[in-house]
Amino acid sequence: MLKIVVCVSGGGTNLQAILDAIDSGRITNTQVLAVISNNAGAKALERARDHGIEARALSPRKYPDREAFNQAFTEEMEKLSPDLIVLAGFLVRIPPQMVAAFSGRIVNIHPSLIPSFCGVGYYGLKVHEKALERGVKVTGATVHFVNDGMDEGPIIAQKAVDVEEGDTPETLQRRVMEQAEWILLPQAIDDIANDRIHIIDNKAMRRK
């Protein structure tokens, strides 16, 4: 049984996609231990409680500096001891000590086709704003393992989504979620839970 902790900052639509996939059997062999948010008012925490899952708020603002938060966050995660940490719209950079402690066991969903529109400053609606400003015809989402870089870890899966005439950042964001994010992230978790994915030479590879 793959035990996961999901980290979310906002509404938790990707969290809901995970929970729905577990309930429907599209994700198997998986248990959500807890949901952590840096925002005590995040709807994601409510979604977790509605499913009987432990919900915790852990905000950098409650600590004297970022190093103190990083240490507390890492210690909290080590107490939970998950097999996999899932970043599902989490807008806090993962502490280096946590990346080291859970090497190869942290995954993130990013709303673009990496390496496009990723890295520092590219998150949430800003990704879609930049995609539309650039005039791309195709965007999408990427699930990847997390390393010390920003959106630089081994790619697990990607799915393309067409940009349509008249799109706004909001309509494009919604389409990317519906057609890519809510499909890719549950698939990746199920693949990891059932030992279909492994890392070779810094690349995520599917077992034959």
Side-chain angles (χ1 to χ4, degrees):
M1 180 72 69
L2 184 77
K3 297 179 179 180
I4 70 174
V5 170
V6 184
C7 298
V8 195
S9 289
T13 55
N14 273 307
L15 168 64
Q16 191 65 54
I18 293 167
L19 297 177
D20 290 346
I22 291 173
D23 290 345
S24 68
R26 288 186 294 116
I27 296 177
T28 60
N29 196 32
T30 299
Q31 175 191 358
V32 181
L33 293 176
V35 172
I36 294 177
S37 180
N38 59 304
N39 176 9
K43 184 173 176 58
L45 296 177
E46 181 183 333
R47 293 179 193 269
R49 295 186 189 104
D50 287 346
H51 260 73
I53 297 168
E54 184 176 356
R56 302 184 183 183
L58 195 67
S59 172
R61 297 178 183 178
K62 301 294 185 180
Y63 295 85
D65 53 40
R66 182 48 68 101
E67 185 52 42
F69 166 76
N70 286 349
Q71 188 62 36
F73 188 17
T74 302
E75 289 175 358
E76 191 79 4
M77 196 65 75
E78 288 175 335
K79 288 177 186 175
L80 289 167
S81 191
D83 301 312
L84 185 73
I85 300 169
V86 178
L87 310 182
F90 192 56
L91 304 183
V92 176
R93 185 157 190 170
I94 301 304
Q97 57 264 52
M98 188 184 296
V99 174
F102 292 90
S103 179
R105 293 190 289 149
I106 309 174
V107 298
N108 179 53
I109 180 80
H110 183 76
S112 78
L113 297 174
I114 292 174
S116 297
F117 309 110
C118 67
V120 178
Y122 285 94
Y123 60 88
L125 204 60
K126 292 184 179 182
V127 176
H128 307 291
E129 290 172 352
K130 293 298 183 182
L132 290 174
E133 286 175 14
R134 185 68 180 86
V136 298
K137 305 303 181 186
V138 176
T139 184
T142 303
V143 180
H144 65 94
F145 286 105
V146 173
N147 61 11
D148 288 329
M150 182 66 76
D151 300 327
E152 294 178 3
I155 290 173
I156 297 170
Q158 293 182 304
K159 193 172 190 300
V161 174
D162 289 336
V163 178
E164 297 181 2
E165 186 174 350
D167 262 337
T168 65
E170 290 80 9
T171 60
L172 184 57
Q173 180 184 54
R174 184 72 185 185
R175 189 178 313 110
V176 169
M177 287 192 295
E178 291 177 347
Q179 296 184 10
E181 294 182 46
W182 299 346
I183 297 169
L184 284 182
L185 189 54
Q187 283 180 346
I189 294 169
D190 188 59
D191 283 341
I192 293 168
N194 292 285
D195 198 30
R196 300 188 197 103
I197 295 291
H198 62 302
I199 300 175
I200 295 179
D201 296 332
N202 202 37
K203 293 182 180 180
M205 308 290 288
R206 183 173 291 276
R207 294 187 189 277
K208 295 181 179 179

